[in-house]
Amino acid sequence: MADTSQGATMDRILQEISAMGSRLDGMDSIVASLTEDTKLMCLDIAGFQSRVTALEQRLTTVETQAALVPDRDQELLYLRSKVIDLEDRSRRDNIRFLGFPENIEGAGVQTFLKTTLPQVTGLTFDPPLEFQRAHRVGPKCHDGDNHPRPIIACFLRHTQAQQLLQKARMQGPFCMNEHQIRMTADFSKETSEWRKAFLALRPRLH
């Protein structure tokens, strides 16, 4: 009787051990799955960290470049002002003539200016006027009679160009056969725009 009872007890213990073994096997499977998930999460985190590091490096590069922008802007402004100054200096012997009718100069612009300028300005030039070059500016338009193209002349002698511009500033437009002839210095586009803005503002300053 005792042997039977002990046998039954041993069977139950073996069953419980077997059940615990099955549960442990299940837990091992769960732990293995969790371990695999953890590894994957670690890989994902490492990937995110790598991307964050790359973004931080790019941000540092952008910040460095952005810090240089003001200096580059100042340098570009300085270089642009130098280019404008050089362009104005290269044109210092030029005069732009406005109002001469189309084709009045015939075949030679320089010969026409040598003869006409002393007549319309009343100035005497000794030695006579000489030019490095002189020509009309731009293509002829259909309404050339009412809007003749300007003539630009580069004087051989700077003093003669200044003499003419000074006379034009004092007297204003000259008349030639009922045509008003104006003379202006041949400034760069930027300088011309600045002068126009200044002249428009000057009456308000008085």
Side-chain angles (χ1 to χ4, degrees):
M1 200 59 191
D3 292 338
T4 304
S5 176
Q6 288 179 356
T9 301
M10 290 296 296
D11 289 340
R12 287 197 300 271
I13 292 173
L14 291 174
Q15 290 177 358
E16 290 178 3
I17 291 173
S18 177
M20 289 179 64
S22 298
R23 291 175 63 186
L24 287 173
D25 290 339
M27 290 180 67
D28 288 340
S29 177
I30 293 172
V31 169
S33 178
L34 290 173
T35 302
E36 187 65 26
D37 291 342
T38 302
K39 290 180 180 179
L40 293 175
M41 290 178 65
C42 289
L43 291 174
D44 290 340
I45 291 172
F48 284 129
Q49 288 177 338
S50 177
R51 293 175 61 185
V52 169
T53 301
L55 289 173
E56 288 177 344
Q57 291 175 348
R58 291 178 60 187
L59 180 60
T60 301
T61 302
V62 171
E63 288 176 343
T64 303
Q65 292 176 347
L68 296 175
V69 168
D71 293 337
R72 290 179 180 176
D73 287 345
Q74 291 296 324
E75 184 178 0
L76 287 174
L77 288 174
Y78 172 75
L79 292 175
R80 184 181 180 189
S81 67
K82 293 292 290 183
V83 170
I84 293 172
D85 180 64
L86 289 172
E87 185 176 355
D88 286 335
R89 288 178 182 273
S90 70
R91 299 182 180 202
R92 63 193 299 266
D93 296 330
N94 290 6
I95 292 182
R96 184 181 290 257
F97 298 94
L98 308 173
F100 283 122
E102 288 282 347
N103 302 319
I104 194 173
E105 68 274 16
V109 178
Q110 294 189 28
T111 302
F112 167 75
L113 292 177
K114 287 180 183 179
T115 304
T116 304
L117 291 179
Q119 294 176 355
V120 298
T121 62
L123 294 173
T124 301
F125 298 96
D126 186 21
L129 293 174
E130 291 185 83
F131 307 93
Q132 297 184 43
R133 56 189 176 276
H135 57 88
R136 293 273 184 180
V137 180
K140 185 176 180 180
C141 63
H142 297 295
D143 192 18
D145 293 338
N146 294 324
H147 298 88
R149 292 170 296 167
I151 292 176
I152 289 183
C154 179
F155 286 72
L156 184 64
R157 298 176 182 84
H158 177 70
T159 54
Q160 292 180 339
Q162 293 304 305
Q163 188 179 357
L164 279 167
L165 289 174
Q166 184 177 5
K167 180 74 172 182
R169 284 192 291 267
M170 294 175 57
Q171 182 174 328
F174 301 98
C175 290
M176 188 193 74
N177 301 330
E178 300 181 352
H179 297 286
Q180 284 195 340
I181 309 301
R182 292 180 172 82
M183 304 178 195
T184 64
D186 184 35
F187 292 112
S188 63
K189 178 182 177 182
E190 290 80 2
T191 302
S192 297
E193 291 176 352
W194 179 87
R195 284 172 58 86
K196 287 179 183 178
F198 175 77
L199 292 175
L201 181 62
R202 189 168 61 177
R204 305 179 189 175
L205 302 177
H206 294 287

